[in-house]
Amino acid sequence: DAKTTQPPSMDCAEGRAANLPCNHSTISGNEYVYWYRQIHSQGPQYIIHGLKNNETNEMASLIITEDRKSSTLILPHATLRDTAVYYCIVRVASGGSYIPTFGRGTSLIVHP
Amino acid sequence: ETGVTQTPRHLVMGMTNKKSLKCEQHLGHNAMYWYKQSAKKPLELMFVYSLEERVENNSVPSRFSPECPNSSHLFLHLHTLQPEDSALYLCASSQGPAAGVNEQFFGPGTRLTVL
């Protein structure tokens, strides 16, 4: 699996956009970029994923660079409830199942 | 409601006890996972089952014993645990390999304390 690098922490003002970067310079052509978040003491929650095109859903937007070596998760209007640890992972098949490896993620704090 | 439930939500046990954690998914998935999350550490994958067969075991100590009787249920049997096994144990499910790349759905976790 390709390794990802994320800043350990970030903060953002409520109502502003939160832009969370992720570096995955060793990503290979068949690996997708996934984002999850984990609110304190809860299970991780899927946010969004993409291969090479930018993606948007009701939660966030995912911008992947043309060379696919980095991506940015955008929360367009952050709220206090978006305070969580955000994980960027890349996924490949292993033994017929997809085995994601979670790193330490980015701890995002949204303040009033 | 994530569609993945775990019981119990909290468990306190002594080192000589035997207990089991239960996970159930109502999403029609056929792959299930156990993760361990210790304080200040990343999630650690413990076991993966696909179509009820174990496909991954990341060198977990034998005091943890998984069981997957069908595609909707996953158990983690615990015996003679150590205090350092205290952690949040998370279950997840996903569509199986035939469905291609897919996201995982996590349960709320069981907070385990070993005294």
Side-chain angles (χ1 to χ4, degrees):
Chain A
D1 287 357
K3 182 183 168 75
T4 62
T5 304
Q6 299 177 255
S9 63
M10 295 182 64
D11 70 280
C12 173
E14 188 178 19
R16 306 296 290 270
N19 299 295
L20 294 93
C22 179
N23 181 287
H24 32 78
S25 57
T26 60
I27 193 170
S28 59
N30 64 342
E31 289 180 314
Y32 284 69
V33 180
Y34 274 73
W35 283 83
Y36 288 79
R37 73 179 182 185
Q38 186 176 23
I39 296 170
H40 181 63
S41 292
Q42 297 182 21
Q45 176 191 23
Y46 164 81
I47 301 174
I48 198 167
H49 75 277
L51 183 62
K52 53 184 178 181
N53 297 321
N54 297 339
E55 302 287 345
T56 296
N57 63 21
E58 65 277 6
M59 291 183 68
S61 295
L62 174 61
I63 308 299
I64 302 174
T65 58
E66 191 169 346
D67 62 9
R68 304 212 320 125
K69 293 185 176 182
S70 65
S71 61
T72 301
L73 180 75
I74 301 173
L75 308 178
H77 305 287
T79 71
L80 299 179
R81 288 182 294 180
D82 292 322
T83 292
V85 178
Y86 287 77
Y87 298 99
C88 166
I89 61 176
V90 293
R91 298 181 60 169
V92 291
S94 173
S97 291
Y98 288 89
I99 314 296
T101 301
F102 288 81
R104 294 190 177 273
T106 295
S107 177
L108 174 69
I109 297 175
V110 181
H111 53 83
Chain B
E1 175 59 53
T2 63
V4 180
T5 59
Q6 291 186 243
T7 55
R9 294 294 307 277
H10 301 271
L11 178 63
V12 179
M13 59 187 289
M15 290 190 285
T16 58
N17 292 159
K18 289 184 180 181
K19 297 286 184 182
S20 296
L21 309 185
K22 179 182 176 182
C23 175
E24 185 172 0
Q25 59 95 1
H26 314 273
L27 301 168
H29 292 162
N30 53 25
M32 298 187 76
Y33 311 75
W34 278 118
Y35 287 86
K36 173 185 177 183
Q37 189 172 37
S38 303
K40 309 291 186 184
K41 289 186 178 180
L43 276 75
E44 300 171 51
L45 180 65
M46 300 177 74
F47 301 102
V48 180
Y49 278 82
S50 179
L51 299 173
E52 301 157 42
E53 291 187 10
R54 189 188 304 180
V55 297
E56 192 87 11
N57 173 2
N58 283 359
S59 302
V60 177
S62 59
R63 58 186 182 268
F64 295 92
S65 174
E67 178 189 1
C68 188
N70 55 63
S71 61
S72 298
H73 294 86
L74 184 65
F75 295 90
L76 188 62
H77 304 298
L78 317 170
H79 63 97
T80 59
L81 295 192
Q82 304 297 312
E84 59 263 31
D85 296 321
S86 298
L88 181 68
Y89 288 84
L90 290 157
C91 172
S93 71
S94 68
Q95 290 286 8
V101 180
N102 53 79
E103 64 267 30
Q104 289 178 307
F105 292 81
F106 283 81
T110 294
R111 175 69 61 185
L112 174 67
T113 302
V114 182
L115 301 177

